[in-house]
Amino acid sequence: MQASQFHWSELDKYYTYSRRTLSADSAWRYGPERVFVVAKEGYDAISKHASMYNKRYCDLGCGTFHPFGVSAVMLLNGAQSTISLDLEHSDHTRAAEALYDLLSECIVFPEKWNWSGKSVDEFIEGVRQFNLEALKQGKLVEGISHLPMGYIVTDIHSPQIQPESVDIMTSRAVLEHFLNFELAVKRLYSIMAPGGISFHSIDLVDHRAYESKDFHYWSFLSEDEGWSDGVCNRLRSKEIRPLLEQAGFEILSYVEKSSDMPEGFINQVSPHFLKEMTPQELCVIVVECVLKKAE
Ligand SMILES: C[S@@+](CC[C@H](N)C(=O)[O-])C[C@H]1O[C@@H](n2cnc3c(N)ncnc32)[C@H](O)[C@@H]1O
């Protein structure tokens, strides 16, 4: 990718500090590349149904590594204000440094990050609204204090956030962690403003497979009915859809992605799953849905 405004020799000024300090830390979680994937998929999915322009945006389950990353990109692409929301607190110094690094990338590669039809100059002007020098020094409050960016640490099962205060919400790899899914999605519904649109990418795999080769994506389906690892709700796509509808959401889009279970594993799946669902339905490992709250 070519930088439109900067010769490569100028990039050092932006990257020398941030890349040296951040890339040495695995908790940085791939920095701008991760933010790009998460923000772009949410922005594109929402854009089919609503404009980001002048909307109150919420990054649900923003994570602890880079809590302001996706929100900053949505702000640069037209959101009126943003809220980064998560159950866990983050390290503010790291959050500021990661944001500085992301904004550096936005200045260097504006075409990559400017999606809302602004001119490049206007987009870069938006980046310059952040206090880049403060962020570089790890000073989060100073870095964003004059911008409409909020940060709320709360459990979505009993959220400390104004009802009907969000016009657009996106999340990735978050809803599978709601241990009382039915209650949590009712809360999501109450947070959304009338007419509000949300996009959720839900990761249905057994998360133990990310840590250990002893497990695969469906291992937890062989555990009995009362089983819980306290991390994932283990709900299948076929169970999720009606719960979203019962909460009040209109489903604008519901995409399922499947993969093949290991051969013979279907014989180990707990009977209560097989009673309700076909093997094909149990093979779904990702749901991507766009939801609307009635006007
Ligand atoms: C797998 S991480 C995903 C982080 C980020 N969305 C990403 O894709 O990099 C899931 C996040 O959801 C948050 N989360 C889980 N349950 C939650 C709840 N009940 N309320 C608010 N946040 C929650 C976790 O704290 C965690 O940061």
Side-chain angles (χ1 to χ4, degrees), residues 29 34 61 63 86-88 154-157 172-174 177:
R29 207 164 185 186
R34 172 77 181 173
D86 203 280
L87 185 59
E88 308 276 352
T154 191
D155 185 340
I156 210 66
H157 294 87
R172 181 182 171 109
V174 178
H177 296 292

Side-chain angles (χ1 to χ4, degrees), residues 73-269:
V73 175
M74 299 303 187
L75 193 69
L76 291 171
N77 281 289
Q80 175 197 93
S81 60
T82 65
I83 291 169
S84 303
L85 186 154
D86 203 280
L87 185 59
E88 308 276 352
H89 287 271
S90 65
D91 173 340
H92 281 200
T93 305
R94 298 294 301 174
E97 290 169 349
L99 186 52
Y100 170 77
D101 184 72
L102 171 69
L103 295 168
S104 303
E105 164 118 352
C106 289
I107 291 178
V108 174
F109 299 116
E111 312 90 336
K112 178 177 171 183
W113 296 92
N114 179 19
W115 312 321
S116 65
K118 289 182 183 177
S119 71
V120 169
D121 285 348
E122 212 183 333
F123 180 80
I124 289 183
E125 189 45 41
V127 179
R128 295 202 186 283
Q129 298 306 306
F130 289 79
N131 183 337
L132 294 172
E133 200 45 45
L135 292 174
K136 180 177 172 182
Q137 291 168 26
K139 296 175 184 166
L140 181 64
V141 176
E142 223 176 302
I144 63 169
S145 62
H146 52 298
L147 289 167
M149 299 183 81
Y151 181 49
I152 300 182
V153 177
T154 191
D155 185 340
I156 210 66
H157 294 87
S158 51
Q160 302 300 305
I161 174 172
Q162 279 290 106
E164 304 199 342
S165 60
V166 172
D167 301 307
I168 291 180
M169 173 185 282
T170 65
S171 80
R172 181 182 171 109
V174 178
L175 268 63
E176 72 272 16
H177 296 292
F178 294 168
L179 296 181
N180 184 341
F181 190 84
E182 200 176 339
L183 174 67
V185 292
K186 279 185 188 151
R187 300 288 192 244
L188 288 186
Y189 189 81
S190 67
I191 292 170
M192 297 305 296
I197 308 275
S198 45
F199 166 78
H200 303 288
S201 174
I202 314 173
D203 177 2
L204 306 187
V205 313
D206 186 337
H207 284 33
R208 294 174 300 178
Y210 296 139
E211 308 289 333
S212 160
K213 288 195 174 6
D214 294 341
F215 301 98
H216 57 71
Y217 288 176
W218 298 269
S219 294
F220 55 10
L221 300 188
S222 66
E223 309 281 358
D224 56 21
E225 204 164 347
W227 178 91
S228 169
D229 62 355
V231 175
C232 291
N233 54 42
R234 206 171 47 147
L235 286 170
R236 302 291 86 201
S237 174
K238 199 181 174 198
E239 301 166 297
I240 288 172
R241 189 178 177 129
L243 290 172
L244 294 171
E245 285 170 329
Q246 278 161 36
F249 287 112
E250 178 189 349
I251 299 192
L252 300 182
S253 155
Y254 197 86
V255 176
E256 297 175 322
K257 295 182 175 168
S258 298
S259 186
D260 294 329
M261 277 187 193
E263 215 180 317
F265 180 71
I266 195 68
N267 300 319
Q268 293 171 44
V269 170

Side-chain angles (χ1 to χ4, degrees), residues 7-24 28 94 97 100-102 104-105 108 136:
H7 186 259
W8 62 267
S9 59
E10 294 177 88
L11 305 189
D12 270 5
K13 169 171 99 177
Y14 292 100
Y15 284 150
T16 301
Y17 173 81
S18 58
R19 293 289 150 95
R20 175 168 47 83
T21 55
L22 291 166
S23 53
W28 184 38
R94 298 294 301 174
E97 290 169 349
Y100 170 77
D101 184 72
L102 171 69
S104 303
E105 164 118 352
V108 174
K136 180 177 172 182

